[in-house]
Amino acid sequence: MQSSNNISTGVRRTRHTTALLAASLGVAGAVLLSGCSSRADDAPQVDWASGVCDSVQDVGSELPLPASDHKDAKKYHAEVVTFMDALGRRLGALDKKMRHEGAPPVDGGDAAYEKALGNLRTARTSLAGTTARLKKADVTDEKSLEAALKRAGEGLRKASAYQGPAHDFRADPALGKAFDKAPECANLPSAGS
């Protein structure tokens, strides 16, 4: 039977871990989509928006969250690092697909494209730095794990502010209309949300 102090520590760690993983899911949510694959309109902007949403969908399958294990801090630390590495790879794959899609076919499309790629790369860099620091953390027990997760949570909150390339592109009125018409983009939030 655990002492009340051990239970209290476990509850605090569970709350903190939940907050950490929620921040991670904020980043993951930026790349998660579902949608149908038919194109309702062949206008260049709608076709381009459809390709962007297809790219996002291709890299957006769900990542399994690490199961909370209060008995083995080192194992849980490794599982969280693995989760964050996988999330970083997803953002890298999205970056590659976005480079393949190229700039949108609208006036000012190059600037919008560079801004969207810049935001994606900033999120990737922030996540990579946080993951690297978490990997190096010396985790030997619950207390050291809690401290490492707290530090990682601060970096993840910054990365989780990223809403994804489609959100960035929707800021352009012509592209916003194209995303609205593309069935693949039906589950994306609007620029104002």
Side-chain angles (χ1 to χ4, degrees), residues 117-127 159:
L117 280 181
N119 290 340
L120 173 57
R121 289 176 182 151
T122 297
R124 282 183 66 200
T125 300
S126 178
L127 181 64

Side-chain angles (χ1 to χ4, degrees), residues 16-108:
H16 184 69
T17 300
T18 300
L20 167 73
L21 295 178
S24 297
L25 289 175
V27 176
V31 296
L32 295 177
L33 287 180
S34 63
C36 68
S37 61
S38 65
R39 286 179 168 70
D41 191 340
D42 61 353
Q45 296 89 352
V46 175
D47 191 47
W48 180 86
S50 295
V52 169
C53 292
D54 279 343
S55 293
V56 172
Q57 186 175 0
D58 286 347
V59 299
S61 61
E62 289 186 40
L63 288 172
L65 292 172
S68 180
D69 183 0
H70 299 285
K71 298 175 187 170
D72 190 341
K74 286 183 179 184
K75 179 181 175 189
Y76 188 68
H77 171 249
E79 289 172 354
V80 171
V81 167
T82 298
F83 173 82
M84 291 171 64
D85 276 338
L87 186 56
R89 285 191 302 276
R90 299 278 176 100
L91 290 176
L94 181 57
D95 183 281
K96 184 176 180 180
K97 286 181 176 287
M98 292 303 305
R99 283 185 277 120
H100 175 75
E101 292 299 328
V106 296
D107 288 339

Side-chain angles (χ1 to χ4, degrees), residues 40-41 43-50 53 106 166-167 169-183 185-186 189-191:
D41 191 340
Q45 296 89 352
V46 175
D47 191 47
W48 180 86
S50 295
C53 292
V106 296
H167 180 271
F169 289 125
R170 279 184 177 273
D172 179 287
L175 291 176
K177 289 177 186 175
F179 277 91
D180 289 342
K181 290 180 182 178
C185 304
S190 66

Side-chain angles (χ1 to χ4, degrees), residues 103-193:
V106 296
D107 288 339
D110 287 337
Y113 178 71
E114 291 304 322
K115 180 178 179 180
L117 280 181
N119 290 340
L120 173 57
R121 289 176 182 151
T122 297
R124 282 183 66 200
T125 300
S126 178
L127 181 64
T130 299
T131 303
R133 285 187 296 278
L134 185 60
K135 281 180 185 178
K136 291 179 183 177
D138 185 23
V139 173
T140 56
D141 56 17
E142 285 189 34
K143 186 176 180 181
S144 59
L145 174 63
E146 188 174 337
L149 292 176
K150 183 177 180 183
R151 285 188 302 274
E154 293 164 4
L156 281 172
R157 278 188 287 284
K158 291 178 186 175
S160 70
Y162 175 65
Q163 296 182 40
H167 180 271
D168 292 337
F169 289 125
R170 279 184 177 273
D172 179 287
L175 291 176
K177 289 177 186 175
F179 277 91
D180 289 342
K181 290 180 182 178
E184 294 82 355
C185 304
N187 294 327
L188 289 174
S190 66
S193 60

